[in-house]
Amino acid sequence: MAEQIIQEIHSQIQSKKKILATPPQEDAPSVDITNIRMPTPPSYKVGDKIATRKAYGQALAKLGHASDRIIALDGDTKNSTFSDLFKKEHPDRFIECYIAEQNMVSIAVGCATRNRTVPFCSTFAAFFTRAFDQIRMAAISESNINLCGSHCGVSIGEDGPSQMALEDLAMFRSVPKSTVFYPSDGVSTEKAVELAANTKGICFIRTSRPENAIIYSNNEDFQIGQAKVVLKSKDDQVTVIGAGVTLHEALAAADLLKKEKINIRVLDPFTIKPLDRKLILDSARATKGRILTVEDHYYEGGIGEAVSSAVVGEPGVTVTRLAVNQVPRSGKPAELLKMFGIDKDAIAQAVKDLVAKA
């Protein structure tokens, strides 16, 4: 019907003057945003303590030296998310979006169009919930943006529940083709930033406020969908899966349990989506089919449900979950982890209960 419609439009034109529209010139220089690699390996020392939110800022500033196409955006939280480290080193590639998270995500989508830049947005993970519409539409538009949410869970402490991200894993896991990173130390955080820069789709990196020990050597290899066995022995009774602060609580629980002659296998999922189903099942089978998940997140939609859906229908495998079960409150991080039953003592007790059941 095109010709008929064109004729109809032409018949409506009253001016006989010819309008010459010149098509836009393709004069943008070609850029390459593939295979962006860290200029140097991580430089952490096992046992030293650093918050993953700070490791994110350091990693992003470092990656900025590898490519001038890396840009950072923040929602007026740069001294807390540590994106200010990027701003100090690459001021012309930092966009301050202030407390307008929906706008920030939209700007990132704009910056990522036509494969011109690799944007990293950061704010408190809780504040991304108000930009879910923009994140959802970014996924539908097949955009390639990276979002880092800091201050997750009750472990942020005194700031209280309005700042505690306890729904973010559920939200980002539900986004089509998303990748959800949950690094547990400085080394894995740096690797997550590098991997996110080279991964298509919506990437989310969940970072924590407390300082935790470096557990990986600088040459440790990390891949999307590849979990790590952080602790194992020949006679492990239960597979315990934690991430971020709860991984460190699980390692502390292992020390407590050892005194009672109970060994546990401790897994770090690294990515919550995709999840390393094979390693989880192999570990479960080596520990009498018993899995215990522990997370600084609500029960709904987090690590426990991700693991449960991964092993559903597997004979002889049971999943026990520890998570935050109600709206939290302000307090010291250790007090809150204890109050909501996700600290080392709660993990040790849950393991003992599982072993006693047998």
Side-chain angles (χ1 to χ4, degrees), residues 296-315:
D296 198 356
H297 188 275
Y298 288 137
Y299 274 94
E300 294 78 16
I303 297 169
E305 287 195 355
V307 170
S308 298
S309 64
V311 303
V312 72
E314 284 294 327

PDB file of all heavy atoms in Angstrom, residues 296-315:
ATOM      1  N   ASP A 296      22.565 -12.783  53.076  1.00  0.00           N
ATOM      2  CA  ASP A 296      22.161 -11.485  53.635  1.00  0.00           C
ATOM      3  C   ASP A 296      21.149 -10.872  52.671  1.00  0.00           C
ATOM      4  O   ASP A 296      21.449  -9.943  51.911  1.00  0.00           O
ATOM      5  CB  ASP A 296      23.399 -10.591  53.808  1.00  0.00           C
ATOM      6  CG  ASP A 296      23.128  -9.437  54.771  1.00  0.00           C
ATOM      7  OD1 ASP A 296      21.980  -9.303  55.216  1.00  0.00           O
ATOM      8  OD2 ASP A 296      24.060  -8.658  55.048  1.00  0.00           O
ATOM      9  N   HIS A 297      19.940 -11.440  52.663  1.00  0.00           N
ATOM     10  CA  HIS A 297      18.887 -11.118  51.689  1.00  0.00           C
ATOM     11  C   HIS A 297      17.622 -11.737  52.255  1.00  0.00           C
ATOM     12  O   HIS A 297      17.680 -12.619  53.109  1.00  0.00           O
ATOM     13  CB  HIS A 297      19.259 -11.779  50.344  1.00  0.00           C
ATOM     14  CG  HIS A 297      18.386 -11.412  49.171  1.00  0.00           C
ATOM     15  ND1 HIS A 297      17.198 -12.058  48.902  1.00  0.00           N
ATOM     16  CD2 HIS A 297      18.557 -10.494  48.180  1.00  0.00           C
ATOM     17  CE1 HIS A 297      16.676 -11.536  47.789  1.00  0.00           C
ATOM     18  NE2 HIS A 297      17.472 -10.588  47.333  1.00  0.00           N
ATOM     19  N   TYR A 298      16.466 -11.283  51.786  1.00  0.00           N
ATOM     20  CA  TYR A 298      15.230 -11.938  52.193  1.00  0.00           C
ATOM     21  C   TYR A 298      15.197 -13.362  51.615  1.00  0.00           C
ATOM     22  O   TYR A 298      15.910 -13.675  50.668  1.00  0.00           O
ATOM     23  CB  TYR A 298      14.006 -11.161  51.693  1.00  0.00           C
ATOM     24  CG  TYR A 298      13.741  -9.857  52.419  1.00  0.00           C
ATOM     25  CD1 TYR A 298      13.377  -8.704  51.718  1.00  0.00           C
ATOM     26  CD2 TYR A 298      13.839  -9.765  53.810  1.00  0.00           C
ATOM     27  CE1 TYR A 298      13.121  -7.504  52.372  1.00  0.00           C
ATOM     28  CE2 TYR A 298      13.585  -8.569  54.470  1.00  0.00           C
ATOM     29  CZ  TYR A 298      13.232  -7.439  53.753  1.00  0.00           C
ATOM     30  OH  TYR A 298      12.994  -6.256  54.405  1.00  0.00           O
ATOM     31  N   TYR A 299      14.325 -14.205  52.194  1.00  0.00           N
ATOM     32  CA  TYR A 299      14.185 -15.582  51.716  1.00  0.00           C
ATOM     33  C   TYR A 299      13.756 -15.627  50.244  1.00  0.00           C
ATOM     34  O   TYR A 299      14.182 -16.485  49.494  1.00  0.00           O
ATOM     35  CB  TYR A 299      13.140 -16.340  52.559  1.00  0.00           C
ATOM     36  CG  TYR A 299      13.732 -16.965  53.810  1.00  0.00           C
ATOM     37  CD1 TYR A 299      13.707 -16.288  55.029  1.00  0.00           C
ATOM     38  CD2 TYR A 299      14.311 -18.231  53.771  1.00  0.00           C
ATOM     39  CE1 TYR A 299      14.247 -16.858  56.178  1.00  0.00           C
ATOM     40  CE2 TYR A 299      14.856 -18.809  54.908  1.00  0.00           C
ATOM     41  CZ  TYR A 299      14.828 -18.118  56.119  1.00  0.00           C
ATOM     42  OH  TYR A 299      15.371 -18.685  57.242  1.00  0.00           O
ATOM     43  N   GLU A 300      12.895 -14.686  49.872  1.00  0.00           N
ATOM     44  CA  GLU A 300      12.299 -14.729  48.533  1.00  0.00           C
ATOM     45  C   GLU A 300      13.301 -14.297  47.449  1.00  0.00           C
ATOM     46  O   GLU A 300      13.822 -13.191  47.486  1.00  0.00           O
ATOM     47  CB  GLU A 300      11.060 -13.819  48.462  1.00  0.00           C
ATOM     48  CG  GLU A 300       9.899 -14.279  49.324  1.00  0.00           C
ATOM     49  CD  GLU A 300      10.054 -13.971  50.806  1.00  0.00           C
ATOM     50  OE1 GLU A 300      10.919 -13.133  51.160  1.00  0.00           O
ATOM     51  OE2 GLU A 300       9.320 -14.562  51.620  1.00  0.00           O
ATOM     52  N   GLY A 301      13.534 -15.189  46.504  1.00  0.00           N
ATOM     53  CA  GLY A 301      14.275 -14.808  45.298  1.00  0.00           C
ATOM     54  C   GLY A 301      15.775 -14.719  45.397  1.00  0.00           C
ATOM     55  O   GLY A 301      16.430 -14.289  44.452  1.00  0.00           O
ATOM     56  N   GLY A 302      16.348 -15.121  46.526  1.00  0.00           N
ATOM     57  CA  GLY A 302      17.797 -14.987  46.694  1.00  0.00           C
ATOM     58  C   GLY A 302      18.569 -16.265  46.407  1.00  0.00           C
ATOM     59  O   GLY A 302      18.174 -17.076  45.569  1.00  0.00           O
ATOM     60  N   ILE A 303      19.681 -16.445  47.140  1.00  0.00           N
ATOM     61  CA  ILE A 303      20.575 -17.582  46.899  1.00  0.00           C
ATOM     62  C   ILE A 303      19.875 -18.913  47.191  1.00  0.00           C
ATOM     63  O   ILE A 303      19.979 -19.865  46.410  1.00  0.00           O
ATOM     64  CB  ILE A 303      21.860 -17.455  47.748  1.00  0.00           C
ATOM     65  CG1 ILE A 303      22.640 -16.203  47.321  1.00  0.00           C
ATOM     66  CG2 ILE A 303      22.736 -18.699  47.615  1.00  0.00           C
ATOM     67  CD1 ILE A 303      23.776 -15.827  48.252  1.00  0.00           C
ATOM     68  N   GLY A 304      19.127 -18.957  48.309  1.00  0.00           N
ATOM     69  CA  GLY A 304      18.438 -20.194  48.686  1.00  0.00           C
ATOM     70  C   GLY A 304      17.479 -20.672  47.617  1.00  0.00           C
ATOM     71  O   GLY A 304      17.454 -21.858  47.273  1.00  0.00           O
ATOM     72  N   GLU A 305      16.704 -19.751  47.052  1.00  0.00           N
ATOM     73  CA  GLU A 305      15.749 -20.141  46.013  1.00  0.00           C
ATOM     74  C   GLU A 305      16.456 -20.470  44.702  1.00  0.00           C
ATOM     75  O   GLU A 305      16.019 -21.350  43.960  1.00  0.00           O
ATOM     76  CB  GLU A 305      14.683 -19.053  45.825  1.00  0.00           C
ATOM     77  CG  GLU A 305      13.706 -19.039  46.988  1.00  0.00           C
ATOM     78  CD  GLU A 305      12.423 -18.256  46.724  1.00  0.00           C
ATOM     79  OE1 GLU A 305      12.308 -17.620  45.661  1.00  0.00           O
ATOM     80  OE2 GLU A 305      11.551 -18.281  47.606  1.00  0.00           O
ATOM     81  N   ALA A 306      17.566 -19.766  44.415  1.00  0.00           N
ATOM     82  CA  ALA A 306      18.340 -20.071  43.200  1.00  0.00           C
ATOM     83  C   ALA A 306      18.899 -21.487  43.282  1.00  0.00           C
ATOM     84  O   ALA A 306      18.806 -22.272  42.327  1.00  0.00           O
ATOM     85  CB  ALA A 306      19.467 -19.057  43.025  1.00  0.00           C
ATOM     86  N   VAL A 307      19.454 -21.833  44.441  1.00  0.00           N
ATOM     87  CA  VAL A 307      20.015 -23.174  44.640  1.00  0.00           C
ATOM     88  C   VAL A 307      18.899 -24.223  44.616  1.00  0.00           C
ATOM     89  O   VAL A 307      19.030 -25.276  43.977  1.00  0.00           O
ATOM     90  CB  VAL A 307      20.820 -23.249  45.965  1.00  0.00           C
ATOM     91  CG1 VAL A 307      21.207 -24.692  46.297  1.00  0.00           C
ATOM     92  CG2 VAL A 307      22.069 -22.374  45.883  1.00  0.00           C
ATOM     93  N   SER A 308      17.786 -23.928  45.289  1.00  0.00           N
ATOM     94  CA  SER A 308      16.654 -24.873  45.322  1.00  0.00           C
ATOM     95  C   SER A 308      16.155 -25.187  43.917  1.00  0.00           C
ATOM     96  O   SER A 308      15.900 -26.350  43.581  1.00  0.00           O
ATOM     97  CB  SER A 308      15.500 -24.306  46.161  1.00  0.00           C
ATOM     98  OG  SER A 308      15.917 -24.111  47.496  1.00  0.00           O
ATOM     99  N   SER A 309      16.025 -24.146  43.081  1.00  0.00           N
ATOM    100  CA  SER A 309      15.516 -24.392  41.726  1.00  0.00           C
ATOM    101  C   SER A 309      16.544 -25.122  40.875  1.00  0.00           C
ATOM    102  O   SER A 309      16.191 -25.843  39.949  1.00  0.00           O
ATOM    103  CB  SER A 309      15.086 -23.074  41.057  1.00  0.00           C
ATOM    104  OG  SER A 309      16.192 -22.226  40.883  1.00  0.00           O
ATOM    105  N   ALA A 310      17.834 -24.974  41.218  1.00  0.00           N
ATOM    106  CA  ALA A 310      18.881 -25.671  40.459  1.00  0.00           C
ATOM    107  C   ALA A 310      18.900 -27.169  40.756  1.00  0.00           C
ATOM    108  O   ALA A 310      19.239 -27.974  39.893  1.00  0.00           O
ATOM    109  CB  ALA A 310      20.247 -25.056  40.761  1.00  0.00           C
ATOM    110  N   VAL A 311      18.538 -27.545  41.993  1.00  0.00           N
ATOM    111  CA  VAL A 311      18.638 -28.967  42.373  1.00  0.00           C
ATOM    112  C   VAL A 311      17.275 -29.653  42.479  1.00  0.00           C
ATOM    113  O   VAL A 311      17.199 -30.810  42.891  1.00  0.00           O
ATOM    114  CB  VAL A 311      19.419 -29.138  43.709  1.00  0.00           C
ATOM    115  CG1 VAL A 311      20.807 -28.524  43.597  1.00  0.00           C
ATOM    116  CG2 VAL A 311      18.668 -28.538  44.898  1.00  0.00           C
ATOM    117  N   VAL A 312      16.227 -28.949  42.102  1.00  0.00           N
ATOM    118  CA  VAL A 312      14.884 -29.525  42.231  1.00  0.00           C
ATOM    119  C   VAL A 312      14.789 -30.837  41.438  1.00  0.00           C
ATOM    120  O   VAL A 312      15.310 -30.943  40.328  1.00  0.00           O
ATOM    121  CB  VAL A 312      13.795 -28.507  41.785  1.00  0.00           C
ATOM    122  CG1 VAL A 312      13.779 -28.302  40.280  1.00  0.00           C
ATOM    123  CG2 VAL A 312      12.425 -28.924  42.274  1.00  0.00           C
ATOM    124  N   GLY A 313      14.185 -31.844  42.051  1.00  0.00           N
ATOM    125  CA  GLY A 313      14.012 -33.125  41.371  1.00  0.00           C
ATOM    126  C   GLY A 313      15.198 -34.058  41.483  1.00  0.00           C
ATOM    127  O   GLY A 313      15.139 -35.196  41.017  1.00  0.00           O
ATOM    128  N   GLU A 314      16.290 -33.583  42.088  1.00  0.00           N
ATOM    129  CA  GLU A 314      17.460 -34.458  42.266  1.00  0.00           C
ATOM    130  C   GLU A 314      17.219 -35.356  43.481  1.00  0.00           C
ATOM    131  O   GLU A 314      17.043 -34.858  44.593  1.00  0.00           O
ATOM    132  CB  GLU A 314      18.720 -33.613  42.494  1.00  0.00           C
ATOM    133  CG  GLU A 314      19.265 -32.959  41.245  1.00  0.00           C
ATOM    134  CD  GLU A 314      19.791 -33.950  40.218  1.00  0.00           C
ATOM    135  OE1 GLU A 314      20.319 -35.014  40.616  1.00  0.00           O
ATOM    136  OE2 GLU A 314      19.664 -33.660  39.021  1.00  0.00           O
ATOM    137  N   PRO A 315      17.212 -36.674  43.286  1.00  0.00           N
ATOM    138  CA  PRO A 315      16.918 -37.556  44.420  1.00  0.00           C
ATOM    139  C   PRO A 315      17.975 -37.456  45.524  1.00  0.00           C
ATOM    140  O   PRO A 315      19.170 -37.364  45.246  1.00  0.00           O
ATOM    141  CB  PRO A 315      16.908 -38.953  43.788  1.00  0.00           C
ATOM    142  CG  PRO A 315      17.597 -38.813  42.477  1.00  0.00           C
ATOM    143  CD  PRO A 315      17.431 -37.409  42.035  1.00  0.00           C
TER     144      PRO A 315
END
